[in-house]
Each structure stands twice: as C-alpha cells, then as structure tokens.
C-alpha cells in the first residue's frame, strides 16, 4: 500500500501536475492538495494561519508525510515537523527518494548516496549552528560534542563515496579515450524528464529500454552503436532534468552528465505537446543545466518530440516563441510514430560528417610541438 500524503504546492496548474507526478514516482498518494501563492515565508514556509489549518487537517487525515513542493531551510523543516508532528518531505528530499528508488547501476547508487549525504550535511551544518547557539541543545538527544562527531562522520562518508565516484569517472574517461581512438562519433540525448528521450533512443537503436510516463525513469546512461549510412556512431540516453534540481545533485551526477560535455552532438529532447508556459519553463531549465555542466551551444540540436500530439503550425509557433527559429537547429519528430526520424538521422549524419574536417583543420593550425605534446 502506498503511503498517504498531504501535498502543499503552488497554485499553478503545471506546477501541481509536476508535483503530483513526483509524488506518484516516489510512491506517495496525496489525500489532499493545498495550493498556495507563496511557499517561502520565513518561519514555516507557509503563513502561520495556514499552519493552524494544516494542524486540523493532519489530525483528521493522519497522513504518513507532508510533501512540501519547495526547498525548505532546515529550520523551516524543523518548525513545521515539530508543530505538525508529521514527517516533512521538501522538494529536494522527494526527488532524492525517487532517485533512490530508481537507481540500479552501482554508479547511480553512489551518486544518489552522495546527493543524500550532501543534503544531510547541509542540515547537519544548520543543526550544529543551532546547537552552538544553544537553541536546539537536545538535537537528537545529543550534545555539541556528539553533533561534531556526527558532522565528521557525514564528511568521512562523503569523502569515501566521492573517492569511489572519482574512480568511476576515470573509468568513463578511459572509455571515452578508447572510443575516440577508434574514431567513433558520439551523440547524447538530454532533456527534461518525460520528454521522450528513451522512446527516441529506442526508436533510433531498436532497443527496448524502459520508457514510462513516470518521472525519472532513466537514471543511468545507456550507450549503443548505430550505423548512419557509412558512419558508425555511439548514442547515449541520459538522466532527465527537472526544474529546481539543486546544484549539489547536478554535482553528484556530474560524471554521468559529463558525457554531455564530451559528446559530438547533444540532442535536447523537448515535449512539444506541453502548453507553452510549461514548455518554456522546462526548456529554460534544460538550457541552464546544460550551461552549468559546460555544454557548448554549437553542438546542440533541439528536437521537438511528440509531434503526433500537436499540429506542425503549433510547433513552429512554440519554436518561434522560444527564439529557436532563426538558427534552424531544430526539428520536430515523433518518437512514438517515427515521424521525421529519418530526417533527424540525416541531420545528425550531416553534422558529424562535416566535423572531422573541422577538427583536422584546427589541429593543422596548431604548432607541431603541441600536437606531439598531446600525443
Ligand atoms: N504521444 C507520444 N508519446 C510519447 C512520444 N515519445 C515519448 N512518449 C511518451 O512519453 C512518456 C515519457 O517517455 P520516456 O521516453 O520514458 O521519457 P524520458 O525522457 O526518457 O524520461 P526520463 O527517463 O524519466 O527522463 C512515455 O509514456 C512515452 O510513451 C511521442 O513521440 N508521442
Ligand atoms: Mg528515460
């Protein structure tokens, strides 16, 4: 049976929809949704009047958790939890729980663990601060000395997890170099969660990786070889993005996301069937995540997916509103029906075919000694 929840979120339709999808993916069943204009008030996140209302709701519904669709500071979380006597999951913790449920590969499990430790660490720091101020002396029934021990323990566990991740990252680096030596070109699929990356990946490779309406279906990268005309290329499916993904989570998933920096083409998959405000929000969140990782815009191709659900005119209009029209770097496809997939393959082939020449030119322009050094 699913744990029951009260969901507190914003009063915007697309935000509620995403919050419900997150609850679903984490295995919670909201019994009641509370929509608010502001969720970032100082003491509780919510206004105090609303907290009183919540108290009554909690005593009648007795939810297992309260899901708070915003990032709460540790003190706000503490205030809410102690007033409502119920576990509070904020947006960060909820996303972490989903990642934990879905992680399969040893690397993604390590990444989730590191993200959880970072989350714990930020909380621990606040608790140490409160303990030192004497505001929360009985933190977990322990005193200041033990709080420091706890703090150090998290730090040690973080360091050992990081060391393991560094090893995994070096392994990836070796793979990348090997692929480069063989001369494979690489293409990666990126984009907001549920945009259809895996469906497109399956369509392009003939694979049958899990695709579903759930958020964060894919957490680890899968790579397959495909042949486009005369060119052998490696194509990778990657973890999806979401708005308000905390920086430390991007950090934890860095070695996976790093693939996007070294890949020849990044195909950013966009769900063209989303209403425009939602589409724009997701688009922005993708572009800023890619910027944060350091992906060069020149290597991005935007794919407006799910063209079977919307008219071509509507797609063109949305693309125009996103400001993509001018650079001709987009294509509409349907990963479900196969519409325009061959055009996408042609586009990818065309870009990749041109690239070796560019690279050779660049190398030829370098002084000889530098080439020797690089070898
Ligand atoms: N109608 C339609 N549905 C699609 C299309 N592409 C994907 N979908 C559906 O969209 C949902 C999400 O697809 P996925 O391929 O799992 O999305 P994803 O981007 O890999 O998502 P994550 O792995 O969670 O990041 C699934 O229910 C797919 O069946 C499409 O072209 N048309
Ligand atoms: Mg996927």
């Amino acid at each position: 049976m699913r744990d029951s929840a009260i969901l507190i979120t914003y009063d915007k339709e697309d935000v509620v929809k995403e919050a419900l999808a997150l609850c679903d993916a984490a295995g919670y069943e909201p019994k009641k949704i509370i929509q608010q204009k502001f969720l970032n008030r100082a003491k509780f996140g919510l206004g105090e009047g609303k907290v009183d209302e919540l108290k009554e709701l909690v005593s009648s519904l007795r939810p297992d958790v309260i899901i708070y669709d915003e990032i709460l500071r540790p003190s706000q979380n503490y205030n809410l939890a102690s007033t409502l006597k119920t576990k509070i999951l904020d947006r960060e913790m909820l996303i972490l729980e989903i990642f934990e449920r879905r992680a399969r590969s040893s690397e993604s499990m390590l990444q989730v663990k590191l993200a959880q430790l970072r989350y714990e660490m930020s909380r621990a720091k606040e608790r140490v601060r409160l303990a030192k101020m004497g505001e929360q002396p009985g933190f977990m029934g322990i005193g200041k000395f033990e709080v420091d021990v706890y703090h150090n323990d998290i730090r040690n566990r973080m360091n050992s997890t990081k060391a393991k991740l560094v090893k995994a990252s070096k392994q990836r680096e070796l793979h990348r170099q090997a692929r480069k030596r063989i001369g494979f070109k690489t293409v990666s699929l990126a984009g907001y969660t549920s945009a259809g990356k895996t469906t497109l990946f399956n369509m392009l490779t003939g694979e049958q990786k899990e695709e579903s309406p759930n958020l964060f279906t894919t957490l680890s990268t899968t790579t397959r070889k495909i042949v486009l005309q005369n060119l052998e290329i490696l194509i990778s499916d990657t973890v999806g993005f979401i708005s308000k993904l905390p920086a430390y989570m991007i950090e934890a998933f860095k070695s996976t996301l790093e693939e996007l920096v070294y890949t020849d083409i990044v195909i950013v998959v966009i769900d063209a069937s989303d209403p425009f405000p939602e589409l724009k929000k997701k688009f922005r969140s993708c572009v800023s995540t890619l910027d944060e990782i350091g992906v060069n815009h020149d290597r991005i191709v935007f794919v407006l997916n799910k063209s079977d659900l919307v008219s071509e005119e509507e797609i063109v209009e949305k693309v125009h509103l996103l400001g993509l029209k001018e650079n001709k770097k987009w294509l509409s496809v349907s990963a479900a029906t196969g519409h325009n997939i061959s055009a996408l393959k042609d586009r990818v082939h065309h870009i990749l075919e041109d690239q070796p020449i560019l690279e050779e030119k660049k190398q030829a322009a370098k002084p000889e000694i530098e080439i020797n050094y690089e070898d």
Side-chain angles (χ1 to χ4, degrees):
M1 218 188 65
R2 300 188 136 212
D3 281 353
S4 65
I6 291 178
L7 168 64
I8 303 170
T9 183
Y10 288 100
D11 58 358
K12 283 207 184 118
E13 201 185 328
D14 61 316
V15 178
V16 177
K17 196 174 110 194
E18 182 170 283
L20 284 172
L22 285 172
C23 291
D24 188 48
Y28 293 103
E29 194 178 327
K31 298 281 182 210
K32 172 95 189 158
I33 305 172
I34 295 176
Q35 291 175 253
Q36 291 287 284
K37 204 174 169 93
F38 301 105
L39 292 179
N40 44 14
R41 298 196 195 275
K43 190 169 178 192
F44 296 102
L46 286 168
E48 306 211 359
K50 210 70 203 168
V51 175
D52 288 337
E53 262 177 56
L54 249 179
K55 247 194 231 169
E56 284 179 21
L57 256 180
V58 166
S59 65
S60 65
L61 293 175
R62 306 216 161 272
D64 296 303
V65 294
I66 293 172
I67 294 173
Y68 200 90
D69 186 26
E70 188 39 273
I71 297 167
L72 284 170
R73 283 200 310 276
S75 59
Q76 292 170 317
N77 194 319
Y78 175 83
N79 292 339
L80 268 179
S82 55
T83 308
L84 301 171
K85 309 213 168 18
T86 310
K87 183 177 169 190
I88 312 289
L89 283 179
D90 71 348
R91 186 175 168 96
E92 284 186 66
M93 200 59 212
L94 186 65
I95 293 174
L96 272 175
E97 282 202 2
I98 300 168
F99 275 48
E100 189 179 18
R101 281 165 73 107
R102 299 223 184 268
R104 296 283 180 274
S105 71
S106 60
E107 190 181 8
S108 60
M109 284 188 226
L110 283 171
Q111 288 167 327
V112 170
K113 192 166 155 196
L114 181 61
Q116 282 169 332
L117 287 167
R118 281 182 194 273
Y119 181 90
E120 226 179 293
M121 182 60 121
S122 70
R123 264 64 193 158
K125 274 190 186 147
E126 172 91 358
R127 282 163 176 166
V128 169
R129 194 179 62 80
L130 291 174
K132 284 184 176 158
M133 280 164 50
E135 272 189 17
Q136 210 179 313
F139 160 59
M140 281 172 48
I142 53 182
K144 179 181 166 304
F145 173 70
E146 287 87 347
V147 170
D148 280 341
V149 171
Y150 170 67
H151 196 258
N152 288 338
D153 174 55
I154 301 177
R155 198 169 44 218
N156 291 339
R157 283 190 287 153
M158 262 170 73
N159 286 340
S160 86
T161 312
K162 268 193 227 163
K164 287 181 198 156
L165 278 171
V166 166
K167 234 168 131 183
S169 167
K170 280 192 181 139
Q171 198 63 38
R172 273 179 189 283
E173 166 83 41
L174 289 175
H175 284 155
R176 262 201 305 273
Q177 284 172 1
R179 293 195 302 243
K180 220 172 164 184
R181 269 200 302 278
I182 303 167
F184 281 140
K185 292 280 163 187
T186 55
V187 174
S188 297
L189 299 171
Y192 211 82
T193 179
S194 258
K197 298 176 293 299
T198 305
T199 313
L200 184 59
F201 177 82
N202 289 345
M203 180 57 115
L204 291 168
T205 60
E207 270 289 337
Q208 288 179 338
K209 289 278 159 199
E210 183 186 0
E211 45 187 82
S212 88
N214 288 336
L215 302 190
F216 299 117
T217 307
T218 311
L219 276 200
S220 49
T221 309
T222 312
T223 303
R224 289 288 176 271
K225 189 173 82 177
I226 62 169
V227 182
L228 289 184
Q229 298 169 39
N230 53 350
L231 217 60
E232 285 187 317
I233 65 166
L234 294 174
I235 180 158
S236 303
D237 185 16
T238 65
V239 58
F241 305 148
I242 194 159
S243 55
K244 291 189 210 156
L245 189 67
Y248 69 81
M249 253 159 102
I250 296 176
E251 180 70 28
F253 277 79
K254 210 163 192 166
S255 64
T256 311
L257 293 172
E258 228 171 25
E259 295 285 310
L260 297 173
V261 180
Y262 298 106
T263 202
D264 295 299
I265 299 179
V266 178
I267 295 179
V268 175
V269 184
I270 298 165
D271 184 343
S273 71
D274 280 334
F276 187 72
E278 193 176 340
L279 185 142
K280 185 166 138 199
K281 196 179 84 183
K282 292 180 180 179
F283 175 80
R284 283 197 175 153
S285 143
C286 286
V287 172
S288 69
T289 309
L290 290 169
D291 281 347
E292 203 157 326
I293 309 164
V295 172
N296 182 344
H297 284 206
D298 293 342
R299 290 185 295 102
I300 299 178
V301 172
F302 293 95
V303 159
L304 280 285
N305 187 33
K306 312 198 186 179
S307 67
D308 53 303
L309 299 178
V310 266
S311 69
E312 195 63 24
E313 296 82 68
E314 192 179 326
I315 296 182
V316 170
E317 197 195 332
K318 284 173 173 169
V319 162
H320 186 70
L321 289 170
L322 287 178
L324 283 178
K325 201 168 182 190
E326 266 62 65
N327 63 18
K328 295 196 181 77
K329 285 187 60 182
W330 65 275
L331 208 67
S332 77
V333 308
S334 166
T337 66
H339 168 248
N340 251 357
I341 296 297
S342 60
L344 174 62
K345 286 182 176 175
D346 286 349
R347 177 78 61 91
V348 167
H349 182 262
H350 184 73
I351 298 172
L352 291 179
E353 210 183 27
D354 278 352
Q355 259 177 356
I357 306 162
L358 284 174
E359 264 180 23
E360 272 164 32
K361 263 192 197 158
K362 233 193 281 161
Q363 282 197 350
K366 279 185 191 170
E368 211 172 307
I369 189 154
E370 225 184 284
I371 296 168
N372 290 338
Y373 176 71
E374 275 190 358
D375 280 345

